Amino acid sequence: MAKIGLMGGTFNPIHNVHLSMAEEARTQYQLDEVRFMPSKNPPHKNKQGIASDSHRKRMIQHAIQDHPHFTFSDLELKREGITFTRDTLAYLTETCPGDQFYFILGGDSLASLESWKEPAYIFSRCHILAANRGDISENKITEWIQYYQEKYGARISEIQMPPQRISSEMIRNKLASGCDVSTYCPVPVTQYIRFHGLYGCDRLLQEKPESPMKISDMYACLSACLKPKRYIHTLGVAMTAANLAAVHGCDCTQAYTAGLLHDCAKYLTGKEQIAACQEADISLTKVEMENTALIHGKLGAYIAKTRYGIQDREILSAITWHTTGKPKMTLLEKIIYLADYMEPGRAMNCKPYSLAQIRRTSFKNLDRALFMVLECCVKYLEKSGAPIDPQTIDTYKYYRNKMD
Ligand code: DGI
Ligand code: FE
Ligand code: FE
């Protein structure tokens, strides 16, 4: 006979107090397993603002991945209609008659337990473990427990916990105002939230967009997730790219869109970008692992495709190659590479060619402008001692040879 703890809830998102509640319950009541069971459609909660089932599932899986006694169950996610604990317990006790179930909940839920569907049935099928998270007085909890024991013969015990005031709602509010939540959630969960843009600009992001996002929504998403300086740079690149496109006979909207999105992965830190690539099955070279500044091109293309709904391969390729360039670039790839370097917000003192020279040349001769930029980049990287990506060197050599 196994003693199984059940952690129900929305987990929107899962956080450290959920995990410590589960762990305290497990050790204080010698549970063999604690099962995290997110609910699909909680009857008493507004569905708005709830991250999708698959996001909540993945966040839980990330959070419990290293804990040998924690498991995940999609029993409630799979059930159609409203989730009732009563139905879950009916299913579990019928299919696993040898096991004992301990339903873990926050002490505050004791107040409303009687309004759940068939409380008497629930009490007959499981022990209740109520955690006092410091938000309710000890007396109140004892009072409720006594009440349910007397009225229903309920088996209710308390989980002792240090008071911790963390709630999913508080975390969502912090995220919406751009605050860091890494002290409240396990690191992989924080990384997941940031990669997927949850609880912030996510209302505009669709899970698998079938059509490209409108430009006006792109502004909203990018300005919400990028730092102001980066966002302004992005606008500069988009405008410059559109101008270059007009002069060189490329599609202006295409160039503008690629410019807007070229740095869309830069809202993530280097470490987060590595984690995101693992999540997305994007392989990284050794040089990229060591120089995370090189990753955001390929990751950006992935995000542009999966979040912004960009299907245009030329745009995706221009985003992919904008940092290192490559030999034989397409017109659009050249335009984005150059626009990134020379947009009006850039003010570096580059050598041996000045920005003014590069800007002037780019409207006359793209290949020559590329050579000038690459010459400046390589000289700069050599001087700073940073390892130069072999791809950058290939690009440089190719466009230098073209000048002969
Ligand atoms: O993303 P941006 O800042 O707008 O510009 P970008 O995409 O060209 O990235 C510039 C960064 O990438 C900058 O920190 C230098 C770095 N970088 C570009 N090429 C190489 C490189 N870093 C190394 N180590 N090697 C390169 O070949
Ligand atoms: Fe970039
Ligand atoms: Fe850029």
Side-chain angles (χ1 to χ4, degrees):
M1 186 198 70
K3 292 167 76 173
I4 298 173
L6 300 174
M7 283 283 292
T10 329
F11 300 107
N12 187 41
I14 188 166
H15 54 67
N16 292 340
V17 173
H18 290 132
L19 296 170
S20 58
M21 247 166 89
E23 182 58 8
E24 291 301 336
R26 187 183 76 80
T27 52
Q28 289 172 36
Y29 294 94
Q30 295 87 45
L31 306 179
D32 299 294
E33 171 191 337
V34 178
R35 204 173 283 173
F36 287 75
M37 229 170 25
S39 53
K40 189 175 185 63
N41 188 3
H44 51 282
K45 287 207 177 158
N46 183 341
K47 196 124 175 59
Q48 264 193 354
I50 298 189
S52 73
D53 292 355
S54 72
H55 281 319
R56 290 182 295 124
K57 172 180 172 176
R58 296 299 301 279
M59 287 190 279
I60 294 171
Q61 288 174 329
H62 276 301
I64 65 174
Q65 65 195 6
D66 294 325
H67 199 300
H69 298 282
F70 290 176
T71 60
F72 172 82
S73 161
D74 56 6
L75 180 64
E76 295 198 337
L77 283 183
K78 276 192 182 149
R79 197 185 311 137
E80 287 305 316
I82 295 175
T83 305
F84 291 112
T85 300
R86 181 235 169 267
D87 300 341
T88 305
L89 288 168
Y91 176 84
L92 289 173
T93 50
E94 276 157 30
T95 51
C96 313
D99 293 336
Q100 255 187 358
F101 293 96
Y102 292 75
F103 198 84
I104 302 166
L105 41 72
D108 55 330
S109 297
L110 290 177
S112 58
L113 205 46
E114 213 169 11
S115 70
W116 292 20
K117 189 178 171 191
E118 290 185 48
Y121 181 86
I122 294 177
F123 292 132
S124 73
R125 295 292 166 123
C126 70
H127 294 244
I128 302 275
L129 300 179
N132 187 352
R133 297 180 290 196
D135 44 356
I136 314 272
S137 82
E138 196 67 34
N139 288 347
K140 199 87 197 135
I141 293 200
T142 314
E143 209 176 282
W144 281 328
I145 292 181
Q146 265 177 5
Y147 170 78
Y148 291 122
Q149 280 170 340
E150 279 164 23
K151 182 160 175 191
Y152 298 96
R155 295 159 291 171
I156 307 188
S157 318
E158 212 179 317
I159 306 169
Q160 300 300 332
M161 298 221 356
Q164 278 166 299
R165 290 189 174 272
I166 301 181
S167 71
S168 295
E169 187 185 7
M170 177 195 100
I171 291 172
R172 289 196 302 275
N173 289 339
K174 284 199 179 289
L175 284 163
S177 52
C179 298
D180 175 52
V181 298
S182 54
T183 50
Y184 309 120
C185 296
V187 172
V189 174
T190 316
Q191 289 175 340
Y192 185 94
I193 290 174
R194 305 235 319 125
F195 177 39
H196 291 276
L198 303 183
Y199 310 116
C201 49
D202 62 324
R203 80 202 139 77
L204 295 169
L205 294 173
Q206 293 168 7
E207 202 107 309
K208 289 196 180 89
E210 280 171 9
S211 54
M213 187 187 277
K214 287 194 304 215
I215 296 274
S216 56
D217 286 343
M218 284 183 194
Y219 291 138
C221 282
L222 291 167
S223 65
C225 69
L226 295 176
K227 292 194 178 129
K229 259 190 173 167
R230 176 67 51 189
Y231 178 59
I232 291 166
H233 160 69
T234 286
L235 296 178
V237 174
M239 185 200 70
T240 308
N243 286 337
L244 286 169
V247 169
H248 294 289
C250 184
D251 184 304
C252 275
T253 313
Q254 209 187 18
Y256 192 82
T257 309
L260 268 187
L261 295 177
H262 83 285
D263 275 342
C264 70
K266 280 232 164 171
Y267 72 99
L268 298 168
T269 64
K271 272 191 186 153
E272 287 170 339
Q273 288 180 29
I274 294 178
C277 285
Q278 280 164 353
E279 171 93 30
D281 261 334
I282 298 172
S283 58
L284 294 175
T285 63
K286 198 163 162 283
V287 187
E288 288 167 330
M289 294 287 278
E290 285 161 10
N291 291 284
T292 50
L294 294 165
I295 299 175
H296 71 283
K298 51 167 93 163
L299 181 60
Y302 174 85
I303 293 173
K305 186 173 173 188
T306 56
R307 308 288 151 67
Y308 293 88
I310 302 297
Q311 286 142 1
D312 183 333
R313 283 165 187 272
E314 293 182 10
I315 294 181
L316 297 176
S317 180
I319 297 173
T320 304
W321 296 105
H322 86 265
T323 303
T324 59
K326 63 171 179 174
K328 299 186 187 169
M329 283 190 270
T330 63
L331 184 53
L332 186 66
E333 285 162 357
K334 290 177 188 176
I335 286 175
I336 297 303
Y337 185 91
L338 282 174
D340 188 24
Y341 199 80
M342 59 176 251
E343 59 95 5
R346 295 274 202 213
M348 65 273 206
N349 202 351
C350 48
K351 286 185 187 121
Y353 303 102
S354 71
L355 259 185
Q357 281 175 304
I358 291 171
R359 284 176 177 140
R360 225 177 302 127
T361 309
S362 70
F363 284 94
K364 296 183 202 142
N365 184 335
L366 282 177
D367 286 352
R368 172 139 195 90
L370 279 172
F371 160 72
M372 291 162 83
V373 168
L374 282 152
E375 177 95 7
C376 290
C377 277
V378 169
K379 290 270 157 9
Y380 169 80
L381 288 167
E382 274 172 355
K383 207 171 153 206
S384 71
I388 306 182
D389 189 291
Q391 187 63 56
T392 305
I393 296 174
D394 281 356
T395 315
Y396 171 57
K397 285 187 180 155
Y398 180 84
Y399 286 97
R400 191 183 56 189
N401 285 342
K402 283 201 107 180
M403 293 303 107
D404 296 341

